[in-house]
Amino acid sequence: MKSLANIKSAKKRVRINEEQRVKNQAFRSSMRTAVKEFDKKVDNNDVEGANEIFTLAVQKIDKAADKNMIHKNRASRKKSRIQQRLNEVNQ
């Protein structure tokens, strides 16, 4: 990565920011994938699969909120919505 920074510490900051951006992007993607997999299981009425993937999705959402990747209220709302969908399938 080429940067415009001249100072050593600024160059390091640019490098570290880029590394973190890539990590965050990957984690955010995995969180979204987990939620989409959960939605697929629910749509197919796969109760066991939905229960398994639900735990994983909630863990990923919580971790994203802990890392400030998403707002804590957004995380809470997401978890609430997938919990409601899970309850509908379990009935």
Side-chain angles (χ1 to χ4, degrees), residues 6-67:
N6 291 324
I7 299 168
K8 187 177 180 182
S9 61
K11 288 179 183 177
K12 182 177 180 182
R13 241 6 286 163
V14 168
R15 188 177 75 244
I16 290 172
N17 286 340
E18 178 62 19
E19 289 169 2
Q20 284 300 314
R21 185 187 69 79
V22 170
K23 269 190 199 175
N24 290 342
Q25 193 174 28
F27 187 82
R28 193 177 294 119
S29 173
S30 72
M31 177 192 68
R32 289 176 180 156
T33 303
V35 172
K36 285 178 187 176
E37 285 179 27
F38 171 79
D39 288 337
K40 282 182 190 174
K41 300 275 185 193
V42 169
D43 290 341
N44 294 332
N45 290 324
D46 179 5
V47 178
E48 291 178 20
N51 284 323
E52 289 174 18
I53 227 65
F54 173 77
T55 346
L56 178 70
V58 167
Q59 286 173 349
K60 288 193 181 270
I61 292 169
D62 282 337
K63 195 167 185 179
D66 289 343
K67 292 182 170 191

